[in-house]
Amino acid sequence: MKHIAFHKVYWPSGRFAVMPVITVDEKGFYQSYCILTGEMPAVIWNGGIGLLLPPDVVPQPSDCIAALLRKANPDIGPDALRLWRADGLSADADIFTPVVRWYPVF
């Protein structure tokens, strides 16, 4: 299991959490989250924006968060979600800003 912290993470439903620590298994699938309230052991700080997506939705360069959320099924179970990091997108950017690169986090 890995614990990764971001400024903000979006779920396929469009909801988001501020300062979450996302736990993923060894294959990169979402397990749980909690809110970062202080120093936590074994947490990797990624910062920026993260996005949880089903495996059939793979972000491409210049995809914005809003476009990816439209492609994702909001009813998919949380254990089938993979975590992606938006490279170069500031934490206060809106969801319509194109992202330069997306990286899988696992």
Side-chain angles (χ1 to χ4, degrees):
M1 299 282 201
K2 288 186 180 181
H3 311 284
I4 303 129
F6 290 87
H7 283 99
K8 192 183 288 183
V9 170
Y10 289 88
W11 273 258
S13 64
R15 78 177 175 98
F16 65 90
V18 176
M19 298 301 287
V21 175
I22 304 294
T23 300
V24 295
D25 65 14
E26 63 279 348
K27 294 181 181 175
F29 285 99
Y30 172 84
Q31 297 298 305
S32 64
Y33 86 100
C34 66
I35 299 300
L36 184 67
T37 58
E39 288 289 324
M40 293 174 68
V43 171
I44 301 164
W45 175 253
N46 258 337
I49 306 253
L51 182 58
L52 288 159
L53 293 171
D56 63 330
V57 179
V58 178
Q60 300 299 314
S62 79
D63 280 349
C64 67
I65 293 170
L68 292 167
L69 291 176
R70 282 192 299 273
K71 291 180 187 177
N73 177 356
D75 299 325
I76 193 161
D79 57 335
L81 298 174
R82 289 192 181 265
L83 182 59
W84 293 83
R85 177 173 61 93
D87 186 40
L89 187 64
S90 69
D92 60 353
D94 66 39
I95 63 172
F96 300 103
T97 304
V99 176
V100 176
R101 276 185 296 276
W102 290 94
Y103 291 104
V105 179
F106 52 90

